[in-house]
Amino acid sequence: METLAMHISNGIIDGPVAAVFAAFALAVLTLCVLRGRRDLDDRLAPMAGLVAAFIFAVQMLNFPIFTAGVSGHLLGGALAALLVGPWVGALCVAVVLVVQALVFGDGGVAMLGLNITNMAIIGTAAAYLLIALLLRVLPRTNAGLAVTAFVSALVSVVVASQGFVLQYWLGGTTDLGGNLAGLAGTMAGVHLLIGVGEGLITATTVLTVAKVRPDLVYALRNRRPVAPVTPVPVAGGVR
């Protein structure tokens, strides 16, 4: 199970597949830079730095998953998408992953494209698609925002874990004996539990920011407030 961590180590996936995903990750991050520049303003630019620093710090703290015998930590895709949007959010998570790989050896440097694809791109994209959907159907309250943050974070972690399953199917260096479904089930089950922790951290953080400075929450910028009811003047004694 330690080998099947989200931070893929060198040698887990073969070189050609790792190179393809490195090129894919580079292309998507280039798009994120181009699109993210449109969103950057005097609020989002410093917020992006704070989000990256917060994700980096919280990822250093692992919480145990007793039923699976492993530990998990925040991935940060949903948190970043909620606070700074999908484009800048993916860049924030990618920067954290690069620093972790180069400085702390958390994930192989040769596997960096795979890890960025799973956690920064797939995780953030899946989270933001769900965020956009849930904010349309849930009440415009703190409770609705908390549910949105929790559910999007949980689902994004599970979806990101399945990215690894796809990559292993394409270029895993160890033969699973055709038991790819078993690998997918194991990854989904473990990361469902990790997702619960991720959801709690994400919901608590976003709700705290929204209560103090709702203008700093990217996901709330395009949310239309409920229009106040304008009283109709009464004329001639007739309502």
Side-chain angles (χ1 to χ4, degrees):
M1 181 58 65
E2 291 179 357
T3 302
L4 303 181
M6 282 294 290
H7 289 272
I8 304 172
S9 302
N10 289 333
I12 303 298
I13 307 295
D14 63 31
V17 172
V20 168
F21 277 95
F24 171 77
L26 182 60
V28 174
L29 292 180
T30 301
L31 176 62
C32 289
V33 170
L34 297 176
R35 294 296 300 269
R37 291 177 63 182
R38 303 178 187 178
D39 294 332
L40 286 177
D41 54 25
D42 57 347
R43 292 176 298 175
L44 194 62
M47 193 64 179
L50 291 174
V51 167
F54 181 79
I55 293 174
F56 178 82
V58 177
Q59 280 197 3
M60 304 301 288
L61 304 175
N62 287 357
F63 48 87
I65 307 298
F66 297 106
T67 57
V70 297
S71 63
H73 63 69
L74 181 81
L75 298 187
L79 177 63
L82 280 159
L83 292 179
V84 296
W87 308 108
V88 178
L91 292 173
C92 289
V93 179
V95 168
V96 171
L97 294 174
V98 170
V99 173
Q100 288 182 335
L102 296 179
V103 178
F104 297 98
D106 198 355
V109 175
M111 303 292 110
L112 196 52
L114 301 165
N115 289 322
I116 289 176
T117 297
N118 294 338
M119 290 181 274
I121 297 173
I122 295 177
T124 304
Y128 192 75
L129 290 174
L130 197 52
I131 290 165
L133 174 64
L134 292 176
L135 286 179
R136 288 179 177 271
V137 299
L138 292 177
R140 299 166 186 162
T141 61
N142 287 336
L145 179 61
V147 171
T148 297
F150 179 84
V151 173
S152 62
L154 188 154
V155 173
S156 70
V157 171
V158 176
V159 173
S161 74
Q162 297 308 297
F164 169 77
V165 177
L166 171 63
Q167 293 161 356
Y168 202 88
W169 175 66
L170 293 173
T173 55
T174 303
D175 185 12
L176 297 178
N179 192 23
L180 189 67
L183 173 62
T186 300
M187 292 293 290
V190 170
H191 286 86
L192 180 63
L193 299 176
I194 295 174
V196 172
E198 172 115 5
L200 293 174
I201 295 172
T202 302
T204 302
T205 304
V206 173
L207 196 57
T208 301
V209 175
K211 287 181 177 179
V212 179
R213 289 287 303 274
D215 59 304
L216 295 181
V217 180
Y218 180 93
L220 300 182
R221 290 189 177 187
N222 297 324
R223 193 174 65 172
R224 294 176 297 176
V226 179
V229 178
T230 304
V232 179
V234 177
V238 179
R239 293 186 180 277

